[in-house]
Amino acid sequence: MPKSIQDNICEERLFSSIFNKYAKDLHNFLYYKFGEQLNPKDKVQEAFVKLWENCGKVTPEKAKSFVFTTANNLMLNEAAHQKVILKYQGTKPTHYTNENPEFLMQEDEYRKKVQLALANLTDAQREAFLMNRIEGKRFKEIAEILDISTKAVEKRIYGALEKLRKDIKEL
């Protein structure tokens, strides 16, 4: 037995009358609830498109509820999407820097100077200096590891610092 035309809203005149009846109220509802920035006009149109796509399933009595619920959900989804956008606009990409090419070149030159200056230290000085400055070990710990006195560690590190100051003028 075929359904009567009143069981769904697929008939163009009936759909048009529902659109004319509820579109302005739906727009106002969305505008008052969410504001203009989320495009309530677009969401009204999208809600009615979804109503048309589901016209065989929606009765005329349920049409108002369908478009209001659909439009509200579309606006909520858009609001959540905007929050995600704002969250990621606040974070900068990790690979991006404000450093200009000149700074990068100077940094590379400085790194080479430091490496060369460290290579010019004696093995004993380099070992004690790196344990202290890079690993953060205290003089006493270094002395125990190297099996030397604390004074010998101090002498090696201070000797390394003097030599590094001469080799690298920027320090």
Side-chain angles (χ1 to χ4, degrees), residues 156-170:
R156 289 179 183 183
I157 291 174
Y158 291 129
L161 285 171
E162 279 184 21
K163 198 166 189 181
L164 288 173
R165 280 191 193 103
K166 287 179 188 174
D167 291 350
I168 306 170
K169 302 292 185 227
E170 289 86 11

Side-chain angles (χ1 to χ4, degrees), residues 30-48:
L30 295 175
Y31 179 79
Y32 297 147
K33 187 171 180 180
F34 297 100
E36 186 64 36
Q37 65 270 20
L38 297 179
N39 279 331
K41 289 180 184 177
D42 289 349
K43 301 307 181 264
V44 169
Q45 293 297 318
E46 287 179 50
F48 277 100

Side-chain angles (χ1 to χ4, degrees), residues 51-67:
L51 177 63
W52 182 254
E53 290 170 349
N54 294 293
C55 69
K57 301 173 189 171
V58 181
T59 63
E61 298 81 34
K62 303 279 185 182
K64 179 179 180 182
S65 173
F66 182 89
V67 292

Side-chain angles (χ1 to χ4, degrees), residues 20-31:
N20 291 334
K21 186 175 182 180
Y22 298 124
K24 186 173 183 193
D25 290 340
L26 180 57
H27 174 268
N28 291 341
F29 168 74
L30 295 175
Y31 179 79

